[in-house]
Amino acid sequence: MLFSPSALLVLASANALASGQQTAFTVPGAFPTSLYSNYYNNPTATSEQPQPVISDPVTHKVFPYALTDPNVIPQNDTEDPHPLPPIAGSAKLLEQAIAQVKSISVNPIFGSNQCARCQASLEVAKFLALSAPDQGSNFAVALCEYFNYSSTCEANYGPLTLGPILTQVMSFADVGGYDGQLLCAQFLGLCTYPETLPLNTTGWFAKPKPKPLPVPRQPSGERLKVLHVSDLHIDPRYANGAEANCTSGLCCRENAYNRQSPHSPLLPAPRFGYFLCDSPYSLIAATLEAIPPLASTESTGFDFTLFTGDLLAHDPSNQLSRAYTEYAEVVLFDLLKRMLGPGPVYATLGNHDSYPSDLAASYSLGGELGQQFGWLYDHITALWNYEGWLPEDSVEYSRAHYAAYMVKRTDGLRIISLNTNLWYRSNYFNYINASDPDTSGMMRFLTDELQDAEDAGDRVWIIGHVFSGWDGSNSLMNPTNLFYQIVDRFSPHVIANIFWGHSHEDQLSIFYTNNATVMNTDTAQTLSWTGPSVTPLTNLNTGFRVYEIDSATFEVLDAYTYKTPVDTFSALDSQIQYGPTFELEYSTRETYGANIPWSNNDPLNATWWQLVTEQMAVNSTLVEIFNTYQGKSSILTPPCTGECVTARICYIRSGSASIATQNCQKGYGSVQ
């Protein structure tokens, strides 16, 4: 038989009554105060709960009323906070930073996103740089060795080379953002290059571009001779007879060797240089000795000379020093002064003119860090002034502005020299606040000087080392994008020409209106010339160029490029009667202008070069000629055919890294 729950309860109550058991009890309404001997309040009150005084039998401490006061509830336990780990010393921080990067490198959460791994690792590096900067170099060396990034990690990234530089960059850069992505793209190849950031030039220019443009100057009919030398790269450690065809870095050094014959040179270094070596004293002297007779300036000298940077050899960082840098400056500027004649030399800093090479720190870092290359700017400016090339009113500005300056000549031409290390991709400092196209203030300086020139009706030549465009592989996009807009604003009525060095090759670029969205003879405005190098490195002949310039317009009327064949140097070692033979390689007008309707006195300006590129597009033979001359007719220059032809024309039409990256196929920029 089954009973319901209610029936069961009735049955249980009946049983309890039958046994005499009490089935209900009502407690008193008052709190039983006898439970505790003391209270913080009135325990009989009905308006609040009793608050007895409680003593801990273990600690013999009385718990305070504040602990349970219902009107004031504590928010944080300030009496007994949770413990923290001990402060780690710098060695412990280094150990943990290395361990964390190793963990990031294998953590499956990142999947195939190597860019995210890289930037996460940079975040670790940043906090180490901020908390234990003395360990930054050790961190760089340890990771270099762990990831097998180099066979000379200590020499490259130790505390006496790039270690402190990288530590500075990590401490200041936005490694989790744009800076970090750019660093991982450039130096590790683990991120894609970020695109050029949108540029807002509102308020950048003091005045709009004049409409209509001022009436152009009329040609004078008088021609000036201007010499352009670049990339001397003197190697005072050059060793005659050492291995010239080495497999061990910079050749023609006592420590150079070829793996096929490590103890005996396969090709003894000729005394005048070789294709895999920088310039020995003998080559520098021979080149400067040949220039005046070839240019017919023995008795007059040049009207002026341009030197577009790079004095030092390509030594690794651990073999460089301030003294070595200053030595090359003193030697080469002295030789230029004594061997070229009385005309001034307008020089600019190259990436191999600093110690360590490639570097220039923005003054915006502040204090000692912002001024860490002040010794270089002071010394080189003082030398320019000592040689009589830089007037007193430009000296102090140059010292205080990265060795950049403006010289106002009496003939109405202004020379503006820029420190282009401040947009060079290999300058680690450029990855601090890289989203700002003018962190250093260099573009502000250029813009203001151009505005002054426009107001005065003067013409301007801009000189620098690292070119702003070509194939886009050497300069950063944001600053060269701004540079391109500045050139557009002040061309063609102010800027007559731009001159670069750096590549060691014979190159040029055309600047157009409106960011080169349309490229034709109506939009071509200004031209940049990249001068050939004296150094043969790598696989090039030695060369230099002489321009004929109209003395009123300062436009180029012709350009004569000279070279000497490096492959003949070995044969000169058996005697001392003859040295290298320098010869005219080509005249620009004669080589490229045969089918262009241009008079002999019309300038070789951007319009003319646009017509040349149009000829190149229908006649690839012109590109093949250009390719030959790009390597200064070296026997080792590879041909340019197929895709290379289209790419090379595109590079000529690219005045900024942004335009080159957007428009051109990569991989055909160099003949080395």
Side-chain angles (χ1 to χ4, degrees):
M1 180 182 296
L2 297 175
F3 295 95
S4 67
S6 57
L8 291 173
L9 290 173
V10 171
L11 180 60
S13 296
N15 291 337
L17 289 173
S19 63
Q21 180 180 342
Q22 185 174 349
T23 60
F25 177 79
T26 301
V27 300
F31 181 80
T33 57
S34 60
L35 286 176
Y36 301 98
S37 58
N38 294 297
Y39 293 85
Y40 288 116
N41 63 353
N42 180 3
T44 62
T46 59
S47 60
E48 60 181 352
Q49 288 294 313
Q51 293 289 339
V53 177
I54 305 296
S55 178
D56 188 326
V58 175
T59 64
H60 307 294
K61 293 181 179 180
V62 174
F63 293 102
Y65 175 51
L67 190 64
T68 57
D69 183 354
N71 297 314
V72 185
I73 298 175
Q75 299 301 309
N76 292 289
D77 180 7
T78 59
E79 296 294 327
D80 302 291
H82 300 297
L84 295 171
I87 296 175
S90 63
K92 185 66 173 179
L93 291 172
L94 171 64
E95 175 190 330
Q96 288 298 309
I98 294 171
Q100 287 303 300
V101 172
K102 290 179 179 179
S103 294
I104 290 170
S105 71
V106 296
N107 191 330
I109 193 66
F110 291 102
S112 61
N113 193 339
Q114 299 301 319
C115 184
R117 286 186 202 274
C118 183
Q119 289 196 258
S121 298
L122 291 184
E123 292 282 9
V124 176
K126 182 178 184 69
F127 284 102
L128 180 67
L130 290 169
S131 58
D134 60 310
Q135 296 292 349
S137 299
N138 295 331
F139 179 74
V141 171
L143 292 183
C144 173
E145 293 174 345
Y146 179 77
F147 291 109
N148 197 26
Y149 185 67
S150 169
S151 61
T152 55
C153 294
E154 180 66 34
N156 292 342
Y157 304 110
L160 298 179
T161 50
L162 292 175
I165 305 300
L166 295 175
T167 303
Q168 290 183 58
V169 174
M170 289 299 101
S171 65
F172 285 101
D174 176 17
V175 296
Y178 187 89
D179 294 349
Q181 184 181 352
L182 209 54
L183 281 162
C184 291
Q186 173 65 30
F187 297 104
L188 298 171
L190 297 176
C191 289
T192 58
Y193 267 94
E195 295 183 358
T196 307
L197 294 176
L199 182 64
N200 182 5
T201 58
T202 302
W204 182 265
F205 299 107
K207 301 175 183 178
K209 190 171 185 174
K211 291 185 179 180
L213 293 175
V215 177
R217 291 188 180 191
Q218 293 302 304
S220 67
E222 177 188 357
R223 296 195 177 199
L224 307 177
K225 282 189 177 179
V226 175
L227 173 66
H228 186 180
V229 290
S230 194
D231 296 85
L232 293 167
H233 289 290
I234 189 172
D235 186 0
R237 297 163 175 167
Y238 188 102
N240 292 357
E243 181 61 72
N245 188 28
C246 71
T247 56
S248 57
L250 185 61
C251 301
C252 302
R253 293 285 185 87
E254 284 293 353
N255 62 342
Y257 63 91
N258 188 299
R259 284 190 294 268
Q260 295 180 3
S261 179
H263 304 297
S264 178
L266 295 176
L267 179 60
R271 72 179 188 273
F272 288 105
Y274 196 67
F275 290 116
L276 301 181
C277 312
D278 270 323
S279 306
Y281 259 101
S282 297
L283 180 59
I284 297 288
T287 303
L288 296 180
E289 191 175 2
I291 290 173
L294 286 172
S296 301
T297 58
E298 300 103 315
S299 60
T300 61
F302 290 94
D303 290 281
F304 59 90
T305 293
L306 305 179
F307 173 65
T308 48
D310 269 9
L311 300 162
L312 279 77
H314 293 78
D315 292 79
S317 295
N318 63 317
Q319 295 177 9
L320 296 172
S321 65
R322 281 193 193 183
Y324 191 52
T325 303
E326 292 170 345
Y327 172 90
E329 293 170 0
V330 170
V331 167
L332 292 175
F333 291 140
D334 172 65
L335 288 174
L336 291 174
K337 174 74 172 182
R338 289 193 288 126
M339 299 186 72
L340 295 180
V345 176
Y346 301 119
T348 193
L349 277 180
N351 62 298
H352 284 279
D353 298 333
S354 63
Y355 165 68
S357 60
D358 304 336
L359 302 180
S362 171
Y363 294 142
S364 63
L365 293 182
E368 181 182 1
L369 297 182
Q371 296 294 330
Q372 61 190 292
F373 294 97
W375 63 271
L376 170 62
Y377 310 143
D378 287 347
H379 187 260
I380 204 165
T381 298
L383 281 176
W384 293 338
N385 181 242
Y386 172 79
E387 301 293 358
W389 304 332
L390 200 62
E392 290 292 341
D393 58 358
S394 299
V395 169
E396 288 308 315
Y397 193 94
S398 176
R399 283 176 170 158
H401 291 82
Y402 314 100
Y405 60 84
M406 185 280 293
V407 171
K408 184 177 181 180
R409 292 170 48 83
T410 58
D411 55 11
L413 176 66
R414 301 186 186 205
I415 308 291
I416 299 177
S417 175
L418 303 178
N419 185 343
T420 55
N421 288 346
L422 293 162
W423 68 36
Y424 186 35
R425 283 194 178 191
S426 294
N427 177 10
Y428 289 105
F429 289 107
N430 288 337
Y431 296 82
I432 299 172
N433 197 18
S435 58
D436 183 344
D438 192 32
T439 304
S440 66
M442 183 64 59
M443 294 300 98
R444 181 74 267 157
F445 155 73
L446 173 63
T447 305
D448 293 344
E449 291 294 342
L450 289 170
Q451 184 62 65
D452 288 346
E454 182 181 73
D455 293 343
D458 287 342
R459 298 283 271 162
V460 168
W461 280 12
I462 298 171
I463 64 173
H465 181 66
V466 180
F467 42 83
S468 59
W470 186 247
D471 64 349
S473 63
N474 283 268
S475 51
L476 290 170
M477 291 190 287
N478 291 332
T480 58
N481 181 33
L482 176 56
F483 176 75
Y484 201 96
Q485 312 317 312
I486 295 169
V487 171
D488 186 352
R489 162 64 182 83
F490 291 100
S491 294
H493 59 299
V494 177
I495 301 173
N497 284 288
I498 303 168
F499 300 89
W500 310 124
H502 183 60
S503 70
H504 302 183
E505 301 176 16
D506 184 342
Q507 300 165 339
L508 70 143
S509 291
I510 304 169
F511 290 73
Y512 301 86
T513 61
N514 198 28
N515 224 36
T517 50
V518 176
M519 302 180 192
N520 57 36
T521 54
D522 292 329
T523 62
Q525 296 194 103
T526 306
L527 187 70
S528 69
W529 304 77
T530 298
S533 68
V534 172
T535 182
L537 197 70
T538 303
N539 295 333
L540 304 170
N541 282 330
T542 290
F544 59 88
R545 181 178 292 139
V546 176
Y547 302 102
E548 288 187 348
I549 309 296
D550 184 89
S551 64
T553 65
F554 302 102
E555 298 275 9
V556 174
L557 300 177
D558 207 344
Y560 302 94
T561 303
Y562 298 84
K563 55 90 174 178
T564 184
V566 172
D567 58 291
T568 65
F569 288 178
S570 290
L572 300 175
D573 280 349
S574 60
Q575 51 79 53
I576 59 172
Q577 184 177 2
Y578 302 107
T581 297
F582 289 80
E583 58 191 4
L584 175 65
E585 184 182 28
Y586 73 101
S587 154
T588 301
R589 182 183 291 273
E590 291 180 4
T591 300
Y592 299 110
N595 295 320
I596 296 175
W598 224 247
S599 77
N600 288 336
N601 292 318
D602 287 339
L604 307 186
N605 57 15
T607 304
W608 187 83
W609 274 105
Q610 171 62 25
L611 291 171
V612 172
T613 62
E614 292 174 6
Q615 290 287 317
M616 288 178 169
V618 297
N619 180 10
S620 62
T621 301
L622 282 177
V623 178
E624 294 172 17
I625 293 172
F626 185 94
N627 181 74
T628 297
Y629 292 154
Q630 188 173 330
K632 292 165 282 183
S633 300
S634 168
I635 62 170
L636 299 179
T637 296
C640 178
T641 58
E643 293 179 341
C644 174
V645 172
T646 304
R648 205 65 64 81
I649 296 171
C650 189
Y651 301 154
I652 295 174
R653 293 175 173 178
S654 299
S656 74
S658 299
I659 293 173
T661 301
Q662 175 180 313
N663 295 342
C664 305
Q665 187 166 348
K666 297 179 180 179
Y668 299 100
S670 176
V671 297
Q672 297 177 50

